[in-house]
PDB file of all heavy atoms in Angstrom:
ATOM      1  N   LEU A   1     154.803  21.138  61.455  1.00  0.00           N
ATOM      2  CA  LEU A   1     155.679  21.936  62.299  1.00  0.00           C
ATOM      3  C   LEU A   1     157.123  21.648  61.931  1.00  0.00           C
ATOM      4  O   LEU A   1     157.535  20.487  61.862  1.00  0.00           O
ATOM      5  CB  LEU A   1     155.444  21.624  63.787  1.00  0.00           C
ATOM      6  CG  LEU A   1     154.095  22.064  64.355  1.00  0.00           C
ATOM      7  CD1 LEU A   1     153.920  21.522  65.768  1.00  0.00           C
ATOM      8  CD2 LEU A   1     153.978  23.574  64.347  1.00  0.00           C
ATOM      9  N   ARG A   2     157.909  22.739  61.683  1.00  0.00           N
ATOM     10  CA  ARG A   2     159.323  22.609  61.311  1.00  0.00           C
ATOM     11  C   ARG A   2     160.162  23.455  62.279  1.00  0.00           C
ATOM     12  O   ARG A   2     160.627  24.537  61.937  1.00  0.00           O
ATOM     13  CB  ARG A   2     159.557  23.074  59.882  1.00  0.00           C
ATOM     14  CG  ARG A   2     158.787  22.274  58.837  1.00  0.00           C
ATOM     15  CD  ARG A   2     158.992  22.878  57.465  1.00  0.00           C
ATOM     16  NE  ARG A   2     158.258  22.155  56.435  1.00  0.00           N
ATOM     17  CZ  ARG A   2     158.152  22.561  55.166  1.00  0.00           C
ATOM     18  NH1 ARG A   2     158.739  23.700  54.790  1.00  0.00           N
ATOM     19  NH2 ARG A   2     157.461  21.853  54.302  1.00  0.00           N
ATOM     20  N   GLY A   3     160.363  22.973  63.477  1.00  0.00           N
ATOM     21  CA  GLY A   3     161.129  23.725  64.465  1.00  0.00           C
ATOM     22  C   GLY A   3     160.402  24.984  64.872  1.00  0.00           C
ATOM     23  O   GLY A   3     159.330  24.934  65.473  1.00  0.00           O
ATOM     24  N   GLN A   4     161.010  26.178  64.523  1.00  0.00           N
ATOM     25  CA  GLN A   4     160.434  27.465  64.876  1.00  0.00           C
ATOM     26  C   GLN A   4     159.463  27.984  63.826  1.00  0.00           C
ATOM     27  O   GLN A   4     158.996  29.119  63.920  1.00  0.00           O
ATOM     28  CB  GLN A   4     161.552  28.496  65.088  1.00  0.00           C
ATOM     29  CG  GLN A   4     162.499  28.165  66.229  1.00  0.00           C
ATOM     30  CD  GLN A   4     161.769  28.104  67.565  1.00  0.00           C
ATOM     31  OE1 GLN A   4     160.905  28.925  67.854  1.00  0.00           O
ATOM     32  NE2 GLN A   4     162.112  27.104  68.380  1.00  0.00           N
ATOM     33  N   GLU A   5     159.157  27.205  62.803  1.00  0.00           N
ATOM     34  CA  GLU A   5     158.237  27.597  61.740  1.00  0.00           C
ATOM     35  C   GLU A   5     157.111  26.591  61.631  1.00  0.00           C
ATOM     36  O   GLU A   5     157.271  25.412  61.997  1.00  0.00           O
ATOM     37  CB  GLU A   5     158.965  27.707  60.403  1.00  0.00           C
ATOM     38  CG  GLU A   5     159.977  28.842  60.357  1.00  0.00           C
ATOM     39  CD  GLU A   5     160.615  28.987  58.983  1.00  0.00           C
ATOM     40  OE1 GLU A   5     160.635  27.993  58.227  1.00  0.00           O
ATOM     41  OE2 GLU A   5     161.093  30.098  58.682  1.00  0.00           O
ATOM     42  N   ALA A   6     155.992  27.060  61.112  1.00  0.00           N
ATOM     43  CA  ALA A   6     154.827  26.200  60.926  1.00  0.00           C
ATOM     44  C   ALA A   6     154.308  26.366  59.508  1.00  0.00           C
ATOM     45  O   ALA A   6     154.277  27.479  58.978  1.00  0.00           O
ATOM     46  CB  ALA A   6     153.738  26.549  61.933  1.00  0.00           C
ATOM     47  N   VAL A   7     153.886  25.223  58.900  1.00  0.00           N
ATOM     48  CA  VAL A   7     153.271  25.253  57.574  1.00  0.00           C
ATOM     49  C   VAL A   7     151.781  25.307  57.773  1.00  0.00           C
ATOM     50  O   VAL A   7     151.208  24.459  58.475  1.00  0.00           O
ATOM     51  CB  VAL A   7     153.681  24.035  56.738  1.00  0.00           C
ATOM     52  CG1 VAL A   7     153.036  24.100  55.357  1.00  0.00           C
ATOM     53  CG2 VAL A   7     155.201  23.964  56.619  1.00  0.00           C
ATOM     54  N   LEU A   8     151.154  26.341  57.182  1.00  0.00           N
ATOM     55  CA  LEU A   8     149.727  26.582  57.379  1.00  0.00           C
ATOM     56  C   LEU A   8     148.973  26.374  56.085  1.00  0.00           C
ATOM     57  O   LEU A   8     149.494  26.625  54.988  1.00  0.00           O
ATOM     58  CB  LEU A   8     149.504  28.020  57.873  1.00  0.00           C
ATOM     59  CG  LEU A   8     150.314  28.471  59.102  1.00  0.00           C
ATOM     60  CD1 LEU A   8     150.019  29.931  59.388  1.00  0.00           C
ATOM     61  CD2 LEU A   8     150.001  27.612  60.298  1.00  0.00           C
ATOM     62  N   GLN A   9     147.704  25.940  56.244  1.00  0.00           N
ATOM     63  CA  GLN A   9     146.786  25.855  55.106  1.00  0.00           C
ATOM     64  C   GLN A   9     145.713  26.890  55.336  1.00  0.00           C
ATOM     65  O   GLN A   9     144.970  26.826  56.310  1.00  0.00           O
ATOM     66  CB  GLN A   9     146.177  24.448  55.002  1.00  0.00           C
ATOM     67  CG  GLN A   9     145.320  24.268  53.755  1.00  0.00           C
ATOM     68  CD  GLN A   9     146.151  24.241  52.472  1.00  0.00           C
ATOM     69  OE1 GLN A   9     147.234  23.653  52.465  1.00  0.00           O
ATOM     70  NE2 GLN A   9     145.662  24.859  51.425  1.00  0.00           N
ATOM     71  N   MET A  10     145.657  27.877  54.398  1.00  0.00           N
ATOM     72  CA  MET A  10     144.677  28.958  54.508  1.00  0.00           C
ATOM     73  C   MET A  10     143.863  28.969  53.237  1.00  0.00           C
ATOM     74  O   MET A  10     144.242  29.560  52.231  1.00  0.00           O
ATOM     75  CB  MET A  10     145.369  30.302  54.713  1.00  0.00           C
ATOM     76  CG  MET A  10     144.419  31.451  55.010  1.00  0.00           C
ATOM     77  SD  MET A  10     145.367  32.969  55.351  1.00  0.00           S
ATOM     78  CE  MET A  10     144.008  34.071  55.740  1.00  0.00           C
ATOM     79  N   GLY A  11     142.740  28.267  53.258  1.00  0.00           N
ATOM     80  CA  GLY A  11     141.965  28.110  52.042  1.00  0.00           C
ATOM     81  C   GLY A  11     142.757  27.311  51.023  1.00  0.00           C
ATOM     82  O   GLY A  11     143.247  26.205  51.295  1.00  0.00           O
ATOM     83  N   ALA A  12     142.927  27.901  49.835  1.00  0.00           N
ATOM     84  CA  ALA A  12     143.698  27.228  48.792  1.00  0.00           C
ATOM     85  C   ALA A  12     145.174  27.571  48.854  1.00  0.00           C
ATOM     86  O   ALA A  12     145.957  27.132  48.018  1.00  0.00           O
ATOM     87  CB  ALA A  12     143.143  27.615  47.422  1.00  0.00           C
ATOM     88  N   VAL A  13     145.586  28.360  49.861  1.00  0.00           N
ATOM     89  CA  VAL A  13     146.950  28.849  49.942  1.00  0.00           C
ATOM     90  C   VAL A  13     147.680  28.152  51.079  1.00  0.00           C
ATOM     91  O   VAL A  13     147.140  27.998  52.183  1.00  0.00           O
ATOM     92  CB  VAL A  13     146.970  30.369  50.166  1.00  0.00           C
ATOM     93  CG1 VAL A  13     148.398  30.874  50.269  1.00  0.00           C
ATOM     94  CG2 VAL A  13     146.238  31.085  49.043  1.00  0.00           C
ATOM     95  N   ARG A  14     148.909  27.712  50.837  1.00  0.00           N
ATOM     96  CA  ARG A  14     149.767  27.122  51.856  1.00  0.00           C
ATOM     97  C   ARG A  14     150.904  28.105  52.146  1.00  0.00           C
ATOM     98  O   ARG A  14     151.617  28.532  51.243  1.00  0.00           O
ATOM     99  CB  ARG A  14     150.322  25.787  51.389  1.00  0.00           C
ATOM    100  CG  ARG A  14     151.238  25.121  52.415  1.00  0.00           C
ATOM    101  CD  ARG A  14     151.489  23.674  52.110  1.00  0.00           C
ATOM    102  NE  ARG A  14     150.286  22.880  52.332  1.00  0.00           N
ATOM    103  CZ  ARG A  14     150.253  21.546  52.441  1.00  0.00           C
ATOM    104  NH1 ARG A  14     151.380  20.863  52.347  1.00  0.00           N
ATOM    105  NH2 ARG A  14     149.129  20.896  52.611  1.00  0.00           N
ATOM    106  N   LEU A  15     151.080  28.407  53.443  1.00  0.00           N
ATOM    107  CA  LEU A  15     152.051  29.399  53.867  1.00  0.00           C
ATOM    108  C   LEU A  15     152.989  28.819  54.907  1.00  0.00           C
ATOM    109  O   LEU A  15     152.630  27.870  55.626  1.00  0.00           O
ATOM    110  CB  LEU A  15     151.362  30.623  54.483  1.00  0.00           C
ATOM    111  CG  LEU A  15     150.298  31.323  53.637  1.00  0.00           C
ATOM    112  CD1 LEU A  15     149.597  32.373  54.487  1.00  0.00           C
ATOM    113  CD2 LEU A  15     150.932  31.948  52.419  1.00  0.00           C
ATOM    114  N   THR A  16     154.189  29.425  55.025  1.00  0.00           N
ATOM    115  CA  THR A  16     155.144  29.074  56.065  1.00  0.00           C
ATOM    116  C   THR A  16     155.465  30.331  56.853  1.00  0.00           C
ATOM    117  O   THR A  16     155.936  31.321  56.276  1.00  0.00           O
ATOM    118  CB  THR A  16     156.428  28.489  55.464  1.00  0.00           C
ATOM    119  OG1 THR A  16     156.105  27.320  54.719  1.00  0.00           O
ATOM    120  CG2 THR A  16     157.422  28.133  56.564  1.00  0.00           C
ATOM    121  N   LEU A  17     155.182  30.283  58.201  1.00  0.00           N
ATOM    122  CA  LEU A  17     155.379  31.454  59.037  1.00  0.00           C
ATOM    123  C   LEU A  17     156.079  31.066  60.335  1.00  0.00           C
ATOM    124  O   LEU A  17     155.989  29.905  60.776  1.00  0.00           O
ATOM    125  CB  LEU A  17     154.041  32.121  59.383  1.00  0.00           C
ATOM    126  CG  LEU A  17     153.275  32.782  58.225  1.00  0.00           C
ATOM    127  CD1 LEU A  17     151.920  33.249  58.716  1.00  0.00           C
ATOM    128  CD2 LEU A  17     154.064  33.936  57.652  1.00  0.00           C
ATOM    129  N   PRO A  18     156.772  32.028  61.010  1.00  0.00           N
ATOM    130  CA  PRO A  18     157.358  31.742  62.327  1.00  0.00           C
ATOM    131  C   PRO A  18     156.263  31.402  63.336  1.00  0.00           C
ATOM    132  O   PRO A  18     155.183  32.013  63.348  1.00  0.00           O
ATOM    133  CB  PRO A  18     158.067  33.043  62.689  1.00  0.00           C
ATOM    134  CG  PRO A  18     158.307  33.714  61.384  1.00  0.00           C
ATOM    135  CD  PRO A  18     157.149  33.350  60.522  1.00  0.00           C
ATOM    136  N   VAL A  19     156.571  30.443  64.226  1.00  0.00           N
ATOM    137  CA  VAL A  19     155.606  30.007  65.232  1.00  0.00           C
ATOM    138  C   VAL A  19     155.252  31.151  66.171  1.00  0.00           C
ATOM    139  O   VAL A  19     154.107  31.281  66.616  1.00  0.00           O
ATOM    140  CB  VAL A  19     156.190  28.805  66.019  1.00  0.00           C
ATOM    141  CG1 VAL A  19     155.293  28.441  67.209  1.00  0.00           C
ATOM    142  CG2 VAL A  19     156.374  27.615  65.108  1.00  0.00           C
ATOM    143  N   ALA A  20     156.239  32.043  66.449  1.00  0.00           N
ATOM    144  CA  ALA A  20     156.003  33.108  67.414  1.00  0.00           C
ATOM    145  C   ALA A  20     154.932  34.076  66.956  1.00  0.00           C
ATOM    146  O   ALA A  20     154.386  34.824  67.765  1.00  0.00           O
ATOM    147  CB  ALA A  20     157.305  33.848  67.675  1.00  0.00           C
ATOM    148  N   ARG A  21     154.631  34.111  65.681  1.00  0.00           N
ATOM    149  CA  ARG A  21     153.642  35.061  65.147  1.00  0.00           C
ATOM    150  C   ARG A  21     152.245  34.461  65.059  1.00  0.00           C
ATOM    151  O   ARG A  21     151.341  35.098  64.531  1.00  0.00           O
ATOM    152  CB  ARG A  21     154.094  35.551  63.769  1.00  0.00           C
ATOM    153  CG  ARG A  21     155.346  36.432  63.849  1.00  0.00           C
ATOM    154  CD  ARG A  21     156.033  36.572  62.525  1.00  0.00           C
ATOM    155  NE  ARG A  21     155.183  37.132  61.495  1.00  0.00           N
ATOM    156  CZ  ARG A  21     155.547  37.302  60.222  1.00  0.00           C
ATOM    157  NH1 ARG A  21     156.775  36.944  59.864  1.00  0.00           N
ATOM    158  NH2 ARG A  21     154.724  37.806  59.345  1.00  0.00           N
ATOM    159  N   LEU A  22     152.057  33.246  65.528  1.00  0.00           N
ATOM    160  CA  LEU A  22     150.765  32.563  65.403  1.00  0.00           C
ATOM    161  C   LEU A  22     150.042  32.551  66.746  1.00  0.00           C
ATOM    162  O   LEU A  22     150.673  32.432  67.807  1.00  0.00           O
ATOM    163  CB  LEU A  22     150.957  31.146  64.891  1.00  0.00           C
ATOM    164  CG  LEU A  22     151.734  31.035  63.564  1.00  0.00           C
ATOM    165  CD1 LEU A  22     151.923  29.574  63.204  1.00  0.00           C
ATOM    166  CD2 LEU A  22     151.007  31.779  62.455  1.00  0.00           C
ATOM    167  N   GLN A  23     148.719  32.666  66.719  1.00  0.00           N
ATOM    168  CA  GLN A  23     147.877  32.634  67.912  1.00  0.00           C
ATOM    169  C   GLN A  23     146.887  31.476  67.790  1.00  0.00           C
ATOM    170  O   GLN A  23     145.987  31.500  66.955  1.00  0.00           O
ATOM    171  CB  GLN A  23     147.120  33.959  68.061  1.00  0.00           C
ATOM    172  CG  GLN A  23     148.019  35.168  68.282  1.00  0.00           C
ATOM    173  CD  GLN A  23     148.746  35.067  69.594  1.00  0.00           C
ATOM    174  OE1 GLN A  23     148.190  34.613  70.600  1.00  0.00           O
ATOM    175  NE2 GLN A  23     150.012  35.463  69.586  1.00  0.00           N
ATOM    176  N   PRO A  24     147.082  30.433  68.614  1.00  0.00           N
ATOM    177  CA  PRO A  24     146.146  29.287  68.547  1.00  0.00           C
ATOM    178  C   PRO A  24     144.724  29.735  68.894  1.00  0.00           C
ATOM    179  O   PRO A  24     144.501  30.553  69.775  1.00  0.00           O
ATOM    180  CB  PRO A  24     146.693  28.312  69.587  1.00  0.00           C
ATOM    181  CG  PRO A  24     148.115  28.738  69.797  1.00  0.00           C
ATOM    182  CD  PRO A  24     148.146  30.205  69.599  1.00  0.00           C
ATOM    183  N   ARG A  25     143.767  29.189  68.175  1.00  0.00           N
ATOM    184  CA  ARG A  25     142.356  29.430  68.428  1.00  0.00           C
ATOM    185  C   ARG A  25     141.637  28.089  68.408  1.00  0.00           C
ATOM    186  O   ARG A  25     142.002  27.199  67.630  1.00  0.00           O
ATOM    187  CB  ARG A  25     141.747  30.355  67.359  1.00  0.00           C
ATOM    188  CG  ARG A  25     142.258  31.798  67.428  1.00  0.00           C
ATOM    189  CD  ARG A  25     141.661  32.488  68.656  1.00  0.00           C
ATOM    190  NE  ARG A  25     142.076  33.879  68.697  1.00  0.00           N
ATOM    191  CZ  ARG A  25     143.163  34.319  69.305  1.00  0.00           C
ATOM    192  NH1 ARG A  25     143.960  33.435  69.924  1.00  0.00           N
ATOM    193  NH2 ARG A  25     143.463  35.591  69.324  1.00  0.00           N
ATOM    194  N   PRO A  26     140.605  27.947  69.241  1.00  0.00           N
ATOM    195  CA  PRO A  26     139.831  26.677  69.192  1.00  0.00           C
ATOM    196  C   PRO A  26     139.144  26.527  67.848  1.00  0.00           C
ATOM    197  O   PRO A  26     138.606  27.495  67.307  1.00  0.00           O
ATOM    198  CB  PRO A  26     138.831  26.832  70.340  1.00  0.00           C
ATOM    199  CG  PRO A  26     138.738  28.311  70.580  1.00  0.00           C
ATOM    200  CD  PRO A  26     140.073  28.878  70.266  1.00  0.00           C
ATOM    201  N   ALA A  27     139.253  25.341  67.292  1.00  0.00           N
ATOM    202  CA  ALA A  27     138.658  25.079  65.967  1.00  0.00           C
ATOM    203  C   ALA A  27     137.147  25.137  66.059  1.00  0.00           C
ATOM    204  O   ALA A  27     136.551  24.534  66.956  1.00  0.00           O
ATOM    205  CB  ALA A  27     139.096  23.713  65.447  1.00  0.00           C
ATOM    206  N   PRO A  28     136.491  25.885  65.185  1.00  0.00           N
ATOM    207  CA  PRO A  28     135.010  25.950  65.221  1.00  0.00           C
ATOM    208  C   PRO A  28     134.389  24.613  64.803  1.00  0.00           C
ATOM    209  O   PRO A  28     134.946  23.896  63.997  1.00  0.00           O
ATOM    210  CB  PRO A  28     134.696  27.065  64.212  1.00  0.00           C
ATOM    211  CG  PRO A  28     135.860  27.063  63.288  1.00  0.00           C
ATOM    212  CD  PRO A  28     137.054  26.658  64.095  1.00  0.00           C
ATOM    213  N   ARG A  29     133.235  24.351  65.421  1.00  0.00           N
ATOM    214  CA  ARG A  29     132.522  23.123  65.049  1.00  0.00           C
ATOM    215  C   ARG A  29     131.943  23.259  63.649  1.00  0.00           C
ATOM    216  O   ARG A  29     131.369  24.265  63.320  1.00  0.00           O
ATOM    217  CB  ARG A  29     131.379  22.867  66.034  1.00  0.00           C
ATOM    218  CG  ARG A  29     131.869  22.572  67.445  1.00  0.00           C
ATOM    219  CD  ARG A  29     130.691  22.337  68.355  1.00  0.00           C
ATOM    220  NE  ARG A  29     131.132  22.062  69.715  1.00  0.00           N
ATOM    221  CZ  ARG A  29     130.275  21.828  70.725  1.00  0.00           C
ATOM    222  NH1 ARG A  29     128.953  21.857  70.507  1.00  0.00           N
ATOM    223  NH2 ARG A  29     130.756  21.572  71.936  1.00  0.00           N
ATOM    224  N   PRO A  30     132.090  22.214  62.838  1.00  0.00           N
ATOM    225  CA  PRO A  30     131.523  22.276  61.478  1.00  0.00           C
ATOM    226  C   PRO A  30     130.008  22.282  61.509  1.00  0.00           C
ATOM    227  O   PRO A  30     129.386  21.579  62.298  1.00  0.00           O
ATOM    228  CB  PRO A  30     132.084  21.029  60.811  1.00  0.00           C
ATOM    229  CG  PRO A  30     132.376  20.100  61.926  1.00  0.00           C
ATOM    230  CD  PRO A  30     132.753  20.907  63.111  1.00  0.00           C
ATOM    231  N   GLU A  31     129.420  23.114  60.687  1.00  0.00           N
ATOM    232  CA  GLU A  31     127.961  23.164  60.565  1.00  0.00           C
ATOM    233  C   GLU A  31     127.498  21.973  59.750  1.00  0.00           C
ATOM    234  O   GLU A  31     128.226  21.469  58.893  1.00  0.00           O
ATOM    235  CB  GLU A  31     127.544  24.463  59.870  1.00  0.00           C
ATOM    236  CG  GLU A  31     127.935  25.695  60.683  1.00  0.00           C
ATOM    237  CD  GLU A  31     127.534  26.961  59.955  1.00  0.00           C
ATOM    238  OE1 GLU A  31     126.889  26.836  58.896  1.00  0.00           O
ATOM    239  OE2 GLU A  31     127.848  28.056  60.443  1.00  0.00           O
ATOM    240  N   PRO A  32     126.265  21.512  59.964  1.00  0.00           N
ATOM    241  CA  PRO A  32     125.766  20.331  59.227  1.00  0.00           C
ATOM    242  C   PRO A  32     125.750  20.552  57.738  1.00  0.00           C
ATOM    243  O   PRO A  32     125.936  19.629  56.969  1.00  0.00           O
ATOM    244  CB  PRO A  32     124.343  20.154  59.788  1.00  0.00           C
ATOM    245  CG  PRO A  32     124.354  20.856  61.109  1.00  0.00           C
ATOM    246  CD  PRO A  32     125.335  21.949  61.018  1.00  0.00           C
ATOM    247  N   SER A  33     125.544  21.769  57.280  1.00  0.00           N
ATOM    248  CA  SER A  33     125.435  21.999  55.832  1.00  0.00           C
ATOM    249  C   SER A  33     126.772  22.201  55.172  1.00  0.00           C
ATOM    250  O   SER A  33     126.832  22.383  53.974  1.00  0.00           O
ATOM    251  CB  SER A  33     124.548  23.222  55.571  1.00  0.00           C
ATOM    252  OG  SER A  33     125.140  24.345  56.190  1.00  0.00           O
ATOM    253  N   ALA A  34     127.822  22.197  55.950  1.00  0.00           N
ATOM    254  CA  ALA A  34     129.136  22.442  55.342  1.00  0.00           C
ATOM    255  C   ALA A  34     130.137  21.496  55.939  1.00  0.00           C
ATOM    256  O   ALA A  34     130.206  21.329  57.145  1.00  0.00           O
ATOM    257  CB  ALA A  34     129.572  23.878  55.577  1.00  0.00           C
ATOM    258  N   GLY A  35     130.893  20.879  55.092  1.00  0.00           N
ATOM    259  CA  GLY A  35     131.911  19.949  55.550  1.00  0.00           C
ATOM    260  C   GLY A  35     133.263  20.596  55.696  1.00  0.00           C
ATOM    261  O   GLY A  35     134.223  19.948  56.068  1.00  0.00           O
ATOM    262  N   ARG A  36     133.398  21.883  55.403  1.00  0.00           N
ATOM    263  CA  ARG A  36     134.674  22.574  55.506  1.00  0.00           C
ATOM    264  C   ARG A  36     134.535  23.780  56.428  1.00  0.00           C
ATOM    265  O   ARG A  36     133.450  24.301  56.639  1.00  0.00           O
ATOM    266  CB  ARG A  36     135.143  23.037  54.126  1.00  0.00           C
ATOM    267  CG  ARG A  36     135.267  21.874  53.139  1.00  0.00           C
ATOM    268  CD  ARG A  36     135.559  22.380  51.755  1.00  0.00           C
ATOM    269  NE  ARG A  36     136.872  23.012  51.709  1.00  0.00           N
ATOM    270  CZ  ARG A  36     137.375  23.577  50.600  1.00  0.00           C
ATOM    271  NH1 ARG A  36     136.678  23.570  49.506  1.00  0.00           N
ATOM    272  NH2 ARG A  36     138.554  24.128  50.637  1.00  0.00           N
ATOM    273  N   VAL A  37     135.656  24.188  56.970  1.00  0.00           N
ATOM    274  CA  VAL A  37     135.667  25.325  57.884  1.00  0.00           C
ATOM    275  C   VAL A  37     135.737  26.619  57.078  1.00  0.00           C
ATOM    276  O   VAL A  37     136.587  26.753  56.195  1.00  0.00           O
ATOM    277  CB  VAL A  37     136.876  25.234  58.844  1.00  0.00           C
ATOM    278  CG1 VAL A  37     136.919  26.447  59.751  1.00  0.00           C
ATOM    279  CG2 VAL A  37     136.794  23.966  59.668  1.00  0.00           C
ATOM    280  N   ALA A  38     134.852  27.580  57.347  1.00  0.00           N
ATOM    281  CA  ALA A  38     134.882  28.902  56.694  1.00  0.00           C
ATOM    282  C   ALA A  38     135.728  29.851  57.536  1.00  0.00           C
ATOM    283  O   ALA A  38     135.503  29.977  58.726  1.00  0.00           O
ATOM    284  CB  ALA A  38     133.466  29.453  56.539  1.00  0.00           C
ATOM    285  N   HIS A  39     136.681  30.450  56.943  1.00  0.00           N
ATOM    286  CA  HIS A  39     137.596  31.356  57.650  1.00  0.00           C
ATOM    287  C   HIS A  39     137.230  32.791  57.316  1.00  0.00           C
ATOM    288  O   HIS A  39     137.176  33.156  56.143  1.00  0.00           O
ATOM    289  CB  HIS A  39     139.046  31.086  57.217  1.00  0.00           C
ATOM    290  CG  HIS A  39     139.477  29.666  57.464  1.00  0.00           C
ATOM    291  ND1 HIS A  39     139.806  29.194  58.709  1.00  0.00           N
ATOM    292  CD2 HIS A  39     139.617  28.611  56.617  1.00  0.00           C
ATOM    293  CE1 HIS A  39     140.153  27.921  58.629  1.00  0.00           C
ATOM    294  NE2 HIS A  39     140.020  27.542  57.362  1.00  0.00           N
ATOM    295  N   LYS A  40     136.988  33.531  58.360  1.00  0.00           N
ATOM    296  CA  LYS A  40     136.679  34.940  58.161  1.00  0.00           C
ATOM    297  C   LYS A  40     137.945  35.694  57.791  1.00  0.00           C
ATOM    298  O   LYS A  40     138.960  35.555  58.452  1.00  0.00           O
ATOM    299  CB  LYS A  40     136.086  35.533  59.434  1.00  0.00           C
ATOM    300  CG  LYS A  40     134.751  34.924  59.826  1.00  0.00           C
ATOM    301  CD  LYS A  40     133.653  35.260  58.850  1.00  0.00           C
ATOM    302  CE  LYS A  40     132.309  34.723  59.302  1.00  0.00           C
ATOM    303  NZ  LYS A  40     131.248  35.069  58.340  1.00  0.00           N
TER     304      LYS A  40
END
């Protein structure tokens, strides 16, 4: 978090966006067969 901006990790891509444009969501529970979160 950088003041009014947030650094995001989206797969292999790292982005910087204004905080006002982001919507928090509860993190999904990891499935036993996968150690990483799959993003639709």
Side-chain angles (χ1 to χ4, degrees):
L1 292 172
R2 299 175 181 173
Q4 298 299 319
E5 293 184 336
V7 181
L8 308 177
Q9 186 70 39
M10 187 176 183
V13 179
R14 180 165 290 196
L15 305 172
T16 300
L17 292 174
V19 172
R21 292 163 58 183
L22 305 177
Q23 296 295 322
R25 291 288 183 270
R29 295 180 180 179
E31 297 179 5
S33 60
R36 303 173 66 181
V37 178
H39 302 283
K40 296 293 184 180

